[in-house]
Amino acid sequence: MSCVIQSYKQTAMSRLKRNLAIFFILAVAILGSLTMVTLVIARQELDNNQLSMQSTARLLVMENLVTTLFESESSQRAYTVTGQPFFLDEHWLQRRQLEQYLTQLLEAEMPAGQRRDVEHLADLVRQRTAIMDRLIETANTQGQEAVIAEIAGGEGKRSMDAIRAASARLTDAERRRMSGRSATANRHLIQLLTMVPMASAVSLLLFIIAIAFTLAALRRNKELVDELTETGSDIRLINQLSSSLQSSDSREDAAQILNHYMVELFPDKAGALYLMRASRNMLELTTAWNASDVAMPLAIAPADCWALRLGRTYEAASPNDLRCHHNTDSSTAYLCVPLMAQGDIIGMIHFRDHSMEDIKPLAQFTATHIGAALAGISLRETLRQQSIKDPLTGLFNRRYLEETLEREMHRAKRNNSPLSLVMLDIDHFKQFNDRYGHPAGDLLLKEFGNNLRAHVRGQDIACRYGGEEFILVLPDATAAQAHERAETIRQSLVSLTVDYQGVRLPAITASFGVAAYPVDGDDWESLQRLADRALYYAKANGRDQVATATDTIEQDSRVVNQ
């Protein structure tokens, strides 16, 4: 019996060993098969991940290329308008960067079809740089008027539109490739998860580490795709923001545009935009977003902000961090990003929330675009002010007057409201100039302009017509009200004192002529002619007085009757 039992045990042991051997062989076979399949899929995914990284690099290079081209164009435009050499130096520095980005893009690995599109984009960029070179040469040899005439031809705009279109095509094609690679990554994930149940407990145990590593790699790849998708969305928003700012005419328009796009770029962060005053002693709150429950200061002194003092982004993440004087609340984190243009601080973006680390790179990238755009807006505002303001008195000039009179006359007719015109002339100004000299005369004109501004309403328009002649446009003012306003200004000249080189200059007087719509005329040319005639009537009758168009009509009637 014992021999039978022993034999049975030996047989069972042999059978167990045989089964274990078969099981082991099967496990090894399954393990080997799964290993081979996993290696193939992992290799494919590694190649797919490498292609995704290459696409990311190409997208960033294309973005830097287009951004640098815009900055180069802005510097060229600033040079051709102002003639300042440092704008030209900045332009050539950006051109060198542009060539580096072109080289990187052309040397990058890519499909043959995409390379043709990239080479086409490179040709368009070189054409645009050739146009900029031609504009610079025109500015150097023929002057600003020739540059303006050449820009008006629209060749530069058409070239930039073609570059934008080519860049958009490349970017869209790259994103489609990224989407396909994301689908490939998901397909690989499904294949791996399908093979796992086919393995035995031993195979599952052996493969668990490899699967974990593979899943981690897939997750990392998916996170990269998601991050790239989100970054692409942010880049599109920033491009739209830059394009909108480029078309803005004033800081007020820019503030509305920024408020709209900053809510989309930073939906969960309270923020505010501060711009530097012309005096450069204070930054004023221009706009705020997501800040209904946050008290943003209305003004910030440059010395009260570490970002402005250091000239770089400053973040206070914990209560123990050194905090700016404009935000001493230690319960929240904040981020201050200075807005720079040509090395000068023009403003600051301020964010508040519990954490700032997730938005810091995007905030700095956005600030770079905003700073350049706001600098361009400021330059355009300055040029516009120079074109419509008299440089000596600070009043509007004759060109602005002619545009404004026609507009105000249309408005008066549309609203059936009065409109008055006052022409005034400083009495004996030529004698004053001959006696005290032109510098003293210029000082007198400047103080006379300040006096006019002090005695007009916000909707009134004060202009220097030429020499010592001035015009006031008074919307919604009748002839009687305009006469009263002119009389007030005339009497105010008694207290007008001007000191020149330590000497008190003599008091001056002025003569005034008033004409009003609709009682005196129904178009601005008639009003101006009648006001001028009333002015000469005032001068002919002793000066230092206010005359109206009615006075001249009564004088004409007396002459006829005689």
Side-chain angles (χ1 to χ4, degrees):
M1 178 62 74
S2 61
C3 291
V4 175
I5 295 174
Q6 186 67 28
S7 177
Y8 180 80
K9 287 183 178 179
Q10 290 177 353
T11 303
M13 183 63 67
S14 298
R15 189 166 54 248
L16 178 61
K17 289 181 179 179
R18 186 177 66 253
N19 291 338
L20 288 174
I22 293 172
F23 180 79
F24 179 77
I25 291 172
L26 289 174
V28 170
I30 294 173
L31 178 61
S33 299
L34 292 175
T35 300
M36 290 299 297
V37 173
T38 302
L39 289 175
V40 171
I41 295 175
R43 179 62 185 176
Q44 292 175 348
E45 184 53 32
L46 183 62
D47 294 339
N48 187 52
N49 189 41
Q50 183 66 26
L51 291 174
S52 297
M53 294 176 66
Q54 292 175 1
S55 294
T56 301
R58 286 195 294 270
L59 279 173
L60 291 176
V61 171
M62 282 190 288
E63 172 61 21
N64 289 334
L65 175 67
V66 174
T67 299
T68 304
L69 180 60
F70 287 159
E71 293 174 350
S72 176
E73 181 189 32
S74 178
S75 300
Q76 170 260 306
R77 188 181 297 114
Y79 171 72
T80 56
V81 171
T82 64
Q84 294 295 325
F86 67 88
F87 285 123
L88 185 60
D89 294 338
E90 180 181 342
H91 170 75
W92 291 121
L93 177 61
Q94 292 162 347
R95 287 282 295 276
R96 287 194 292 272
Q97 294 177 346
L98 187 65
E99 289 297 329
Q100 293 175 2
Y101 290 137
L102 271 177
T103 302
Q104 294 177 17
L105 190 59
L106 291 171
E107 292 179 353
E109 296 182 3
M110 64 187 73
Q114 186 181 13
R115 180 165 296 280
R116 287 193 297 271
D117 292 338
V118 168
E119 290 173 352
H120 175 62
L121 176 62
D123 292 338
L124 291 175
V125 170
R126 294 190 180 102
Q127 292 173 15
R128 186 66 186 94
T129 56
I131 294 173
M132 288 190 286
D133 291 341
R134 191 169 67 249
L135 287 173
I136 292 173
E137 179 64 23
T138 301
N140 290 335
T141 58
Q142 302 179 32
Q144 294 182 0
E145 292 184 358
V147 172
I148 293 172
E150 190 167 344
I151 292 175
E155 184 182 6
K157 182 180 184 303
R158 291 191 296 272
S159 176
M160 289 304 296
D161 290 342
I163 290 172
R164 289 191 185 95
S167 174
R169 286 195 299 272
L170 283 170
T171 302
D172 291 340
E174 203 67 70
R175 292 198 181 97
R176 288 195 295 272
R177 293 187 187 91
M178 291 299 300
S179 179
R181 288 164 191 152
S182 177
T184 301
N186 290 330
R187 186 174 66 252
H188 290 164
L189 177 60
I190 294 172
Q191 290 171 349
L192 288 172
L193 293 177
T194 302
M195 287 186 293
V196 170
M198 297 172 58
S200 63
V202 175
S203 298
L204 180 62
L205 181 64
L206 294 175
F207 275 103
I208 191 68
I209 298 176
I211 293 297
F213 278 115
T214 303
L215 291 176
L218 292 174
R219 282 195 297 271
R220 285 195 299 271
N221 184 69
K222 192 173 185 305
E223 290 172 358
L224 178 62
V225 172
D226 293 341
E227 181 180 350
L228 182 59
T229 302
E230 183 178 356
T231 301
S233 177
D234 291 339
I235 290 174
R236 285 195 299 274
L237 284 174
I238 292 174
N239 284 337
Q240 293 172 7
L241 169 62
S242 297
S243 178
S244 299
L245 288 176
Q246 289 294 334
S247 63
S248 178
D249 292 329
S250 64
R251 288 191 173 192
E252 291 74 16
D253 290 342
Q256 294 180 358
I257 293 169
L258 283 168
N259 189 286
H260 171 76
Y261 282 101
M262 295 301 268
V263 170
E264 295 192 38
L265 286 167
F266 307 97
D268 302 324
K269 308 295 182 185
L273 170 69
Y274 292 86
L275 294 181
M276 187 76 73
R277 288 179 181 172
S279 59
R280 305 199 62 79
N281 65 338
M282 194 71 66
L283 286 87
E284 293 181 325
L285 177 64
T286 303
T287 185
W289 54 91
N290 302 328
S292 57
D293 299 329
V294 180
M296 295 290 184
L298 297 178
I300 297 175
D304 289 342
C305 180
W306 281 108
L308 301 177
R309 295 171 67 178
L310 299 174
R312 63 175 183 271
T313 301
Y314 184 77
E315 177 185 6
S318 68
N320 296 327
D321 288 339
L322 188 64
R323 306 185 79 82
C324 301
H325 293 305
H326 63 85
N327 185 9
T328 56
D329 181 12
S330 60
S331 61
T332 59
Y334 70 87
L335 184 71
C336 295
V337 186
L339 300 177
M340 309 288 290
Q342 288 86 44
D344 192 19
I345 295 176
I346 63 173
M348 183 264 289
I349 303 178
H350 179 71
F351 294 95
R352 289 191 199 176
D353 199 21
H354 299 294
S355 174
M356 290 290 135
E357 193 63 32
D358 56 332
I359 69 164
K360 188 174 180 180
L362 179 60
Q364 291 175 317
F365 183 65
T366 305
T368 301
H369 286 261
I370 293 175
L374 289 178
I377 291 172
S378 296
L379 178 60
R380 290 196 294 274
E381 284 186 331
T382 300
L383 293 175
R384 181 175 181 274
Q385 289 298 316
Q386 290 175 352
S387 69
I388 65 174
K389 288 292 185 71
D390 174 55
L392 178 61
T393 63
L395 302 177
F396 291 109
N397 57 23
R398 186 168 181 171
R399 171 186 173 186
Y400 181 80
L401 169 69
E402 293 173 351
E403 296 175 357
T404 303
L405 267 177
E406 186 170 359
R407 183 180 66 248
E408 291 297 332
M409 180 60 70
H410 285 308
R411 189 179 71 84
K413 291 180 178 179
R414 185 174 61 251
N415 298 335
N416 195 24
S417 59
L419 172 70
S420 293
L421 198 64
V422 179
M423 294 194 69
L424 54 151
D425 186 281
I426 300 176
D427 296 331
H428 305 296
F429 183 74
K430 184 179 183 306
Q431 298 176 14
F432 185 95
N433 256 349
D434 293 341
R435 181 175 180 182
Y436 296 100
H438 289 287
D442 289 345
L443 179 60
L444 177 63
L445 289 173
K446 181 178 180 181
E447 294 300 326
F448 187 82
N450 292 335
N451 186 68
L452 280 184
R453 276 195 298 271
H455 289 84
V456 295
R457 302 168 301 175
Q459 67 268 34
D460 296 339
I461 302 165
C463 303
R464 184 185 180 190
Y465 193 67
E468 67 273 21
E469 284 189 308
F470 298 82
I471 291 184
L472 299 179
V473 182
L474 308 178
D476 301 319
T478 63
Q481 292 170 334
H483 185 282
E484 182 181 355
R485 184 72 54 77
E487 183 64 28
T488 300
I489 296 173
R490 187 188 69 80
Q491 294 177 9
S492 71
L493 297 179
V494 176
S495 58
L496 178 63
T497 58
V498 180
D499 294 328
Y500 176 68
Q501 295 183 349
V503 177
R504 176 65 54 86
L505 298 177
I508 61 169
T509 61
S511 301
F512 298 76
V514 178
Y517 167 84
V519 295
D520 298 324
D522 60 356
D523 60 81
W524 68 269
E525 292 94 343
S526 298
L527 285 183
Q528 187 172 345
R529 185 174 61 255
L530 290 170
D532 187 58
R533 187 177 178 187
L535 171 62
Y536 279 99
Y537 176 87
K539 285 183 171 293
N541 286 272
R543 293 185 170 85
D544 190 20
Q545 59 182 281
V546 180
T548 65
T550 304
D551 296 331
T552 64
I553 295 173
E554 293 175 353
Q555 182 188 44
D556 292 342
S557 297
R558 288 194 299 270
V559 171
V560 170
N561 292 332
Q562 291 175 359

